[in-house]
Short mmCIF file of all heavy atoms in Angstrom, two decimals:
data_model
loop_
_atom_site.label_atom_id
_atom_site.label_comp_id
_atom_site.label_asym_id
_atom_site.label_seq_id
_atom_site.Cartn_x
_atom_site.Cartn_y
_atom_site.Cartn_z
N PRO A 32 3.39 9.98 0.26
CA PRO A 32 2.37 10.98 0.62
C PRO A 32 2.35 12.22 -0.27
O PRO A 32 1.28 12.70 -0.64
CB PRO A 32 2.72 11.35 2.06
CG PRO A 32 3.51 10.23 2.57
CD PRO A 32 4.22 9.62 1.40
N SER A 33 3.52 12.74 -0.63
CA SER A 33 3.53 13.96 -1.46
C SER A 33 2.95 13.69 -2.84
O SER A 33 2.27 14.54 -3.41
CB SER A 33 4.95 14.50 -1.58
OG SER A 33 5.80 13.56 -2.21
N ARG A 34 3.19 12.50 -3.37
CA ARG A 34 2.66 12.18 -4.70
C ARG A 34 1.14 12.01 -4.67
O ARG A 34 0.46 12.44 -5.60
CB ARG A 34 3.31 10.90 -5.23
CG ARG A 34 4.75 11.10 -5.58
CD ARG A 34 5.34 9.84 -6.10
NE ARG A 34 6.71 10.05 -6.50
CZ ARG A 34 7.48 9.10 -6.96
NH1 ARG A 34 7.03 7.88 -7.08
NH2 ARG A 34 8.72 9.37 -7.30
N ILE A 35 0.63 11.39 -3.62
CA ILE A 35 -0.82 11.21 -3.54
C ILE A 35 -1.50 12.57 -3.37
O ILE A 35 -2.55 12.82 -3.96
CB ILE A 35 -1.21 10.21 -2.43
CG1 ILE A 35 -2.66 9.73 -2.60
CG2 ILE A 35 -1.07 10.78 -1.07
CD1 ILE A 35 -2.85 8.72 -3.63
N LEU A 36 -0.88 13.45 -2.61
CA LEU A 36 -1.45 14.79 -2.43
C LEU A 36 -1.46 15.55 -3.75
O LEU A 36 -2.47 16.17 -4.13
CB LEU A 36 -0.66 15.56 -1.37
CG LEU A 36 -1.17 16.95 -1.05
CD1 LEU A 36 -2.56 16.90 -0.45
CD2 LEU A 36 -0.22 17.66 -0.11
N LEU A 37 -0.34 15.50 -4.50
CA LEU A 37 -0.30 16.16 -5.81
C LEU A 37 -1.31 15.56 -6.78
O LEU A 37 -1.95 16.27 -7.55
CB LEU A 37 1.11 16.06 -6.40
CG LEU A 37 2.09 17.10 -5.91
CD1 LEU A 37 3.50 16.81 -6.43
CD2 LEU A 37 1.67 18.49 -6.33
N SER A 38 -1.48 14.25 -6.73
CA SER A 38 -2.45 13.59 -7.60
C SER A 38 -3.87 14.06 -7.30
O SER A 38 -4.66 14.30 -8.22
CB SER A 38 -2.38 12.07 -7.44
OG SER A 38 -1.14 11.58 -7.85
N VAL A 39 -4.19 14.20 -6.03
CA VAL A 39 -5.53 14.66 -5.64
C VAL A 39 -5.74 16.09 -6.12
O VAL A 39 -6.80 16.42 -6.68
CB VAL A 39 -5.72 14.54 -4.12
CG1 VAL A 39 -6.97 15.26 -3.67
CG2 VAL A 39 -5.79 13.07 -3.71
N ILE A 40 -4.73 16.93 -5.94
CA ILE A 40 -4.85 18.34 -6.36
C ILE A 40 -5.01 18.43 -7.88
O ILE A 40 -5.88 19.15 -8.38
CB ILE A 40 -3.63 19.15 -5.87
CG1 ILE A 40 -3.69 19.29 -4.35
CG2 ILE A 40 -3.58 20.52 -6.54
CD1 ILE A 40 -2.42 19.85 -3.72
N ILE A 41 -4.19 17.69 -8.62
CA ILE A 41 -4.29 17.69 -10.09
C ILE A 41 -5.67 17.20 -10.53
O ILE A 41 -6.30 17.79 -11.41
CB ILE A 41 -3.16 16.83 -10.71
CG1 ILE A 41 -1.82 17.52 -10.53
CG2 ILE A 41 -3.44 16.54 -12.18
CD1 ILE A 41 -0.62 16.67 -10.88
N SER A 42 -6.16 16.15 -9.91
CA SER A 42 -7.46 15.59 -10.28
C SER A 42 -8.59 16.59 -10.01
O SER A 42 -9.49 16.76 -10.86
CB SER A 42 -7.73 14.30 -9.50
OG SER A 42 -6.78 13.34 -9.83
N ILE A 43 -8.53 17.25 -8.88
CA ILE A 43 -9.57 18.24 -8.56
C ILE A 43 -9.52 19.40 -9.54
O ILE A 43 -10.56 19.83 -10.07
CB ILE A 43 -9.42 18.73 -7.10
CG1 ILE A 43 -9.80 17.61 -6.14
CG2 ILE A 43 -10.26 19.98 -6.85
CD1 ILE A 43 -9.49 17.91 -4.69
N LEU A 44 -8.32 19.90 -9.81
CA LEU A 44 -8.19 21.03 -10.73
C LEU A 44 -8.69 20.69 -12.14
O LEU A 44 -9.43 21.48 -12.74
CB LEU A 44 -6.73 21.50 -10.80
CG LEU A 44 -6.20 22.22 -9.56
CD1 LEU A 44 -4.72 22.55 -9.73
CD2 LEU A 44 -7.00 23.48 -9.28
N PHE A 45 -8.35 19.54 -12.65
CA PHE A 45 -8.78 19.15 -14.00
C PHE A 45 -10.28 18.89 -14.04
O PHE A 45 -10.95 19.25 -15.01
CB PHE A 45 -8.00 17.92 -14.48
CG PHE A 45 -6.68 18.26 -15.10
CD1 PHE A 45 -5.67 18.84 -14.37
CD2 PHE A 45 -6.44 17.98 -16.43
CE1 PHE A 45 -4.46 19.15 -14.94
CE2 PHE A 45 -5.24 18.28 -17.02
CZ PHE A 45 -4.24 18.87 -16.26
#
Side-chain angles (χ1 to χ4, degrees):
S33 61
R34 290 180 177 178
I35 196 78
L36 182 64
L37 277 173
S38 296
V39 168
I40 291 169
I41 290 170
S42 298
I43 290 171
L44 289 177
F45 275 64

